[in-house]
Amino acid sequence: GAGVSQSPSNKVTEKGKDVELRCDPISGHTALYWYRQSLGQGLEFLIYFQGNSAPDKSGLPSDRFSAERTGGSVSTLTIQRTQQEDSAVYLCASSARQGVSIEQYFGPGTRLTVT
Amino acid sequence: DAKTTQPPSMDCAEGRAANLPCNHSTISGNEYVYWYRQIHSQGPQYIIHGLKNNETNEMASLIITEDRKSSTLILPHATLRDTAVYYCIVRALTSGTYKYIFGTGTRLKVLA
């Protein structure tokens, strides 16, 4: 079946502009995660959704970052007033449910470049 | 949170077994060890996971020491397409979320 998809695959934006990144999880997956990967670094957790609610937003780096999920499916990560340090690959993952032994499936990511 | 330590890079000859080590000395009793790999410009790909027994699937084998303080991922016959960054992750329950805490991984280069 179809995997996790993300759009756009690449986004170049000017400093100060707002951007929206989209994630389509695997159909039926109730858990959805956003991560960020800066150049040459490991992944940094941002936020987790269970259904449409976000019980864990602890990884969001500032109040310029927000995310929502609608219909238990598509999620949007919004970055307001982008800064150059926001440049990174933003990865979305989904899993069938929460659980210590449940693997996550990752999308290909959105490469964000803030000029 | 449990942390993992991996060598930054390794080389392996094509057709040979690649053995990738990982230390997780602060792992707690109910935390699983996961392995993912990331091929350039792609999202991480799940490989295998385990708790305390050794595990094998079509991609790899996972050997976990008896004290669970370290593990080894084995790719039995490495191919050029196995060149990637390999992440060893301990699945941590943090703030009610089973999130992954990624380190910087091991960059495996398979040589022809």
Side-chain angles (χ1 to χ4, degrees), chain B residues 10-16 18 78-83 108-112:
Chain B
M10 290 181 65
D11 290 342
C12 177
E14 189 178 17
R16 299 285 189 145
T79 71
L80 297 177
R81 283 180 290 186
D82 292 323
T83 292
L108 175 70
K109 187 187 243 186
V110 180
L111 306 171

mmCIF file of all heavy atoms in Angstrom, chain B residues 10-16 18 78-83 108-112:
data_model
loop_
_atom_site.group_PDB
_atom_site.id
_atom_site.type_symbol
_atom_site.label_atom_id
_atom_site.label_comp_id
_atom_site.label_asym_id
_atom_site.label_seq_id
_atom_site.Cartn_x
_atom_site.Cartn_y
_atom_site.Cartn_z
ATOM 1 N N MET B 10 31.955 3.345 9.433
ATOM 2 C CA MET B 10 32.536 2.015 9.244
ATOM 3 C C MET B 10 32.555 1.716 7.757
ATOM 4 O O MET B 10 31.679 2.187 7.017
ATOM 5 C CB MET B 10 31.680 0.936 9.921
ATOM 6 C CG MET B 10 31.686 0.920 11.415
ATOM 7 S SD MET B 10 30.651 -0.409 12.063
ATOM 8 C CE MET B 10 31.528 -1.845 11.488
ATOM 9 N N ASP B 11 33.551 0.914 7.351
ATOM 10 C CA ASP B 11 33.577 0.400 5.985
ATOM 11 C C ASP B 11 33.369 -1.100 6.027
ATOM 12 O O ASP B 11 33.730 -1.769 6.998
ATOM 13 C CB ASP B 11 34.935 0.686 5.324
ATOM 14 C CG ASP B 11 35.134 2.156 5.027
ATOM 15 O OD1 ASP B 11 34.134 2.907 5.008
ATOM 16 O OD2 ASP B 11 36.287 2.561 4.829
ATOM 17 N N CYS B 12 32.812 -1.642 4.937
ATOM 18 C CA CYS B 12 32.602 -3.081 4.846
ATOM 19 C C CYS B 12 32.735 -3.477 3.379
ATOM 20 O O CYS B 12 32.248 -2.760 2.491
ATOM 21 C CB CYS B 12 31.203 -3.444 5.362
ATOM 22 S SG CYS B 12 30.782 -5.193 5.215
ATOM 23 N N ALA B 13 33.398 -4.595 3.126
ATOM 24 C CA ALA B 13 33.529 -5.072 1.753
ATOM 25 C C ALA B 13 32.221 -5.713 1.295
ATOM 26 O O ALA B 13 31.539 -6.409 2.063
ATOM 27 C CB ALA B 13 34.665 -6.088 1.654
ATOM 28 N N GLU B 14 31.903 -5.468 0.044
ATOM 29 C CA GLU B 14 30.675 -6.035 -0.533
ATOM 30 C C GLU B 14 30.700 -7.563 -0.399
ATOM 31 O O GLU B 14 31.714 -8.214 -0.637
ATOM 32 C CB GLU B 14 30.580 -5.644 -2.003
ATOM 33 C CG GLU B 14 29.258 -5.987 -2.653
ATOM 34 C CD GLU B 14 29.193 -5.538 -4.107
ATOM 35 O OE1 GLU B 14 30.253 -5.265 -4.694
ATOM 36 O OE2 GLU B 14 28.072 -5.443 -4.636
ATOM 37 N N GLY B 15 29.548 -8.131 0.019
ATOM 38 C CA GLY B 15 29.442 -9.571 0.187
ATOM 39 C C GLY B 15 29.815 -10.066 1.567
ATOM 40 O O GLY B 15 29.474 -11.199 1.940
ATOM 41 N N ARG B 16 30.505 -9.207 2.329
ATOM 42 C CA ARG B 16 30.863 -9.586 3.701
ATOM 43 C C ARG B 16 29.749 -9.182 4.666
ATOM 44 O O ARG B 16 28.878 -8.391 4.336
ATOM 45 C CB ARG B 16 32.142 -8.872 4.114
ATOM 46 C CG ARG B 16 33.345 -9.197 3.267
ATOM 47 C CD ARG B 16 33.862 -10.562 3.599
ATOM 48 N NE ARG B 16 35.135 -10.843 2.964
ATOM 49 C CZ ARG B 16 36.086 -11.577 3.528
ATOM 50 N NH1 ARG B 16 35.935 -12.088 4.739
ATOM 51 N NH2 ARG B 16 37.207 -11.805 2.882
ATOM 52 N N ALA B 18 28.336 -7.115 7.655
ATOM 53 C CA ALA B 18 28.576 -5.832 8.323
ATOM 54 C C ALA B 18 28.033 -5.948 9.741
ATOM 55 O O ALA B 18 26.868 -6.306 9.939
ATOM 56 C CB ALA B 18 27.882 -4.702 7.575
ATOM 57 N N ALA B 78 26.536 -7.785 2.918
ATOM 58 C CA ALA B 78 26.331 -6.374 2.568
ATOM 59 C C ALA B 78 26.447 -6.167 1.052
ATOM 60 O O ALA B 78 27.304 -6.756 0.383
ATOM 61 C CB ALA B 78 27.358 -5.516 3.294
ATOM 62 N N THR B 79 25.567 -5.300 0.542
ATOM 63 C CA THR B 79 25.634 -4.903 -0.854
ATOM 64 C C THR B 79 25.850 -3.396 -0.930
ATOM 65 O O THR B 79 25.722 -2.683 0.077
ATOM 66 C CB THR B 79 24.332 -5.252 -1.609
ATOM 67 O OG1 THR B 79 23.284 -4.381 -1.153
ATOM 68 C CG2 THR B 79 23.929 -6.698 -1.366
ATOM 69 N N LEU B 80 26.168 -2.917 -2.124
ATOM 70 C CA LEU B 80 26.423 -1.490 -2.282
ATOM 71 C C LEU B 80 25.195 -0.674 -1.866
ATOM 72 O O LEU B 80 25.322 0.456 -1.361
ATOM 73 C CB LEU B 80 26.806 -1.178 -3.727
ATOM 74 C CG LEU B 80 28.097 -1.830 -4.230
ATOM 75 C CD1 LEU B 80 28.326 -1.494 -5.689
ATOM 76 C CD2 LEU B 80 29.290 -1.405 -3.392
ATOM 77 N N ARG B 81 24.011 -1.242 -2.031
ATOM 78 C CA ARG B 81 22.782 -0.520 -1.676
ATOM 79 C C ARG B 81 22.564 -0.420 -0.171
ATOM 80 O O ARG B 81 21.655 0.270 0.281
ATOM 81 C CB ARG B 81 21.574 -1.197 -2.316
ATOM 82 C CG ARG B 81 21.434 -0.880 -3.799
ATOM 83 C CD ARG B 81 20.246 -1.559 -4.409
ATOM 84 N NE ARG B 81 20.445 -2.991 -4.504
ATOM 85 C CZ ARG B 81 19.612 -3.835 -5.107
ATOM 86 N NH1 ARG B 81 18.490 -3.394 -5.622
ATOM 87 N NH2 ARG B 81 19.878 -5.110 -5.172
ATOM 88 N N ASP B 82 23.389 -1.122 0.607
ATOM 89 C CA ASP B 82 23.305 -0.999 2.067
ATOM 90 C C ASP B 82 24.093 0.203 2.584
ATOM 91 O O ASP B 82 24.084 0.468 3.802
ATOM 92 C CB ASP B 82 23.813 -2.275 2.734
ATOM 93 C CG ASP B 82 22.901 -3.464 2.482
ATOM 94 O OD1 ASP B 82 21.667 -3.282 2.454
ATOM 95 O OD2 ASP B 82 23.436 -4.588 2.305
ATOM 96 N N THR B 83 24.782 0.922 1.705
ATOM 97 C CA THR B 83 25.488 2.134 2.125
ATOM 98 C C THR B 83 24.458 3.146 2.626
ATOM 99 O O THR B 83 23.547 3.535 1.896
ATOM 100 C CB THR B 83 26.293 2.715 0.954
ATOM 101 O OG1 THR B 83 27.360 1.825 0.639
ATOM 102 C CG2 THR B 83 26.861 4.082 1.314
ATOM 103 N N LEU B 108 27.748 3.793 7.300
ATOM 104 C CA LEU B 108 28.325 2.580 6.738
ATOM 105 C C LEU B 108 28.565 2.766 5.254
ATOM 106 O O LEU B 108 27.652 3.139 4.511
ATOM 107 C CB LEU B 108 27.380 1.379 6.952
ATOM 108 C CG LEU B 108 27.826 0.070 6.295
ATOM 109 C CD1 LEU B 108 29.065 -0.496 7.001
ATOM 110 C CD2 LEU B 108 26.703 -0.971 6.308
ATOM 111 N N LYS B 109 29.787 2.487 4.852
ATOM 112 C CA LYS B 109 30.106 2.543 3.433
ATOM 113 C C LYS B 109 30.459 1.129 3.006
ATOM 114 O O LYS B 109 31.398 0.521 3.535
ATOM 115 C CB LYS B 109 31.277 3.479 3.191
ATOM 116 C CG LYS B 109 31.580 3.724 1.716
ATOM 117 C CD LYS B 109 32.854 4.532 1.587
ATOM 118 C CE LYS B 109 32.575 5.852 0.941
ATOM 119 N NZ LYS B 109 33.814 6.607 0.676
ATOM 120 N N VAL B 110 29.719 0.579 2.043
ATOM 121 C CA VAL B 110 30.011 -0.746 1.506
ATOM 122 C C VAL B 110 30.867 -0.549 0.259
ATOM 123 O O VAL B 110 30.479 0.173 -0.668
ATOM 124 C CB VAL B 110 28.729 -1.514 1.171
ATOM 125 C CG1 VAL B 110 29.071 -2.889 0.609
ATOM 126 C CG2 VAL B 110 27.858 -1.644 2.416
ATOM 127 N N LEU B 111 32.028 -1.209 0.251
ATOM 128 C CA LEU B 111 33.018 -1.016 -0.796
ATOM 129 C C LEU B 111 32.994 -2.160 -1.795
ATOM 130 O O LEU B 111 32.916 -3.331 -1.394
ATOM 131 C CB LEU B 111 34.411 -0.899 -0.162
ATOM 132 C CG LEU B 111 34.536 0.164 0.929
ATOM 133 C CD1 LEU B 111 35.876 0.049 1.641
ATOM 134 C CD2 LEU B 111 34.357 1.544 0.329
ATOM 135 N N ALA B 112 33.053 -1.814 -3.061
ATOM 136 C CA ALA B 112 33.056 -2.839 -4.120
ATOM 137 C C ALA B 112 34.373 -3.601 -4.135
ATOM 138 O O ALA B 112 35.418 -3.069 -3.732
ATOM 139 C CB ALA B 112 32.810 -2.177 -5.460
#
